[in-house]
Amino acid sequence: IEAEVQRRKQLTHQSVERRAIISKGYKRKHPEVYVLQDSFLSPEFLAIVRYCTSPGAHLHGLLHYLESFSDKRIHRLPVFTEEFCQAFMDELENFEQSDMPKGRPNTMNNYGVLLNELGMDETFITPLREKYLRPITALLYPDLGGACLDSHKAFVVKYSLHEDLDLSSHYDNAEVTLNVSLGKDFTEGNLYFGDFSQDPTPVPKYIEIEHVGAQGLLHRGGQIHGALPIASGERWNLIIWMRSSAIRNQLCPMCNKKPELVEAEGFGDGFTETLEDDAPETVNLCSLW
């Protein structure tokens, strides 16, 4: 346990070092995908955002635009165009084949890319969260800080027959998660969802949800879920863990205690601490877990 604690304490510093090396030495194949544009987004997604930002928008009206599953507050919606997904995956493969240092998304995924290290946070993920996703989550998840999701962790995970096949039961370090299927051609590999904030193993009752290309699933971060094994092909998914400091400052979702904070660079784990004299807020890590 102590070794794992020490490893985690080094993660942020190591990530900053990798990002500096990548920024200096990596040659982008599709530089246009690094800056979010409306043309990357599905017309249906843009219509959903227009509804959510219109006067009098409400939850039941929004649900007409979404595909919802059971009573678990899981919703599917179109997000990107197929053309963007193809260009984005081509860029990610180009990075994978480069000699740049690569940090992996988490302890469960061995293949994938941390998008902040690739330089996509400020120009792509942050505006996607603030301008497009937050109006939607404000209606869907007001109890989880959906209107004030103020930070995130974004990464891409990859599944293939000779690498990661599946993902065990877990819950996310997030208030709300967006999981978008980018492609490619694959069979099986459905997501499954159990109950909210239960012991991840075993999952006695669950529902399966099939991935649809260029579409995303919105769900509560505390929802127990996992990915069943793919049977063929290769699957890439964009995952955005969205966090509300107003919620997690009260209770850390990982250790279930009032967080004791240590300073971190960047978004950290999405906690905030207001310094004296109304200094700008810093985003911190919970030291307990």
Side-chain angles (χ1 to χ4, degrees):
I1 293 174
E2 182 60 32
E4 176 63 10
V5 169
Q6 293 304 318
R7 185 190 71 82
R8 292 186 181 215
K9 285 182 176 179
Q10 296 297 317
L11 287 178
T12 303
H13 178 67
Q14 293 169 353
S15 182
V16 170
E17 289 183 339
R18 285 193 298 266
R19 178 172 179 174
I21 294 170
I22 292 166
S23 176
K24 184 177 180 179
Y26 174 60
K27 181 174 176 56
R28 296 173 176 179
K29 185 175 181 179
H30 296 283
E32 69 279 3
V33 304
Y34 287 77
V35 180
L36 182 63
Q37 302 175 40
D38 276 4
S39 60
F40 298 165
L41 301 170
S42 159
E44 294 84 1
F45 178 77
L46 293 173
I48 293 171
V49 177
R50 281 195 298 272
Y51 172 77
C52 292
T53 54
S54 65
H58 54 83
L59 174 61
H60 293 296
L62 170 59
L63 292 178
H64 288 301
Y65 291 87
L66 309 177
E67 183 179 2
S68 302
F69 299 90
S70 73
D71 59 348
K72 298 183 184 296
R73 300 173 71 187
I74 304 165
H75 308 281
R76 177 153 58 206
L77 70 168
V79 179
F80 298 118
T81 65
E82 291 186 3
E83 292 77 13
F84 167 76
C85 290
Q86 291 171 2
F88 187 31
M89 284 189 297
D90 195 36
E91 176 64 33
L92 295 171
E93 287 187 315
N94 185 67
F95 176 71
E96 280 285 299
Q97 293 163 7
S98 74
D99 59 359
M100 292 291 105
K102 300 170 182 70
R104 296 313 181 188
N106 49 62
T107 56
M108 300 179 73
N109 292 106
N110 299 304
Y111 300 91
V113 179
L114 289 163
L115 296 183
N116 69 311
E117 295 184 5
L118 211 53
M120 296 191 72
D121 256 4
E122 293 83 356
T123 56
F124 192 104
I125 302 297
T126 294
L128 179 64
R129 168 174 53 81
E130 292 180 345
K131 182 178 179 181
Y132 299 93
L133 293 172
R134 202 156 57 187
I136 300 172
T137 58
L139 294 178
L140 290 177
Y141 307 106
D143 53 323
L144 296 172
C148 52
L149 296 170
D150 51 2
S151 69
H152 61 261
K153 178 178 180 178
F155 50 94
V156 172
V157 294
K158 175 187 174 187
Y159 299 91
S160 68
L161 292 181
H162 302 295
E163 299 175 342
D164 287 340
L165 280 175
D166 55 13
L167 187 60
S168 299
S169 301
H170 66 285
Y171 55 87
D172 299 337
N173 185 3
E175 275 62 72
V176 180
T177 296
L178 175 67
N179 182 334
V180 183
S181 177
L182 300 172
K184 300 179 172 180
D185 292 328
F186 60 90
T187 57
E188 301 189 24
N190 290 349
L191 291 180
Y192 62 89
F193 290 86
D195 292 329
F196 185 78
S197 292
Q198 68 176 31
D199 186 344
T201 54
V203 182
K205 293 186 296 184
Y206 62 86
I207 62 169
E208 283 189 36
I209 300 178
E210 184 178 358
H211 281 292
V212 177
Q215 297 196 17
L217 290 170
L218 276 169
H219 64 84
R220 297 171 292 176
Q223 194 86 43
I224 299 299
H225 60 285
L228 296 171
I230 64 169
S232 66
E234 193 172 288
R235 176 159 67 83
W236 294 71
N237 286 68
L238 167 64
I239 313 293
I240 306 177
W241 288 353
M242 294 178 281
R243 296 156 168 169
S244 169
S245 59
I247 298 295
R248 60 182 41 223
N249 281 357
Q250 307 305 312
L251 188 72
C252 173
M254 305 306 286
C255 67
N256 287 316
K257 298 178 182 178
K258 176 75 175 178
E260 296 179 9
L261 302 180
V262 294
E263 191 170 349
E265 300 178 69
F267 283 141
D269 278 331
F271 302 91
T272 59
E273 183 175 51
T274 303
L275 305 179
E276 295 179 1
D277 302 323
D278 296 323
E281 290 183 338
T282 56
V283 183
N284 300 272
L285 305 170
C286 176
S287 64
L288 291 175
W289 72 279

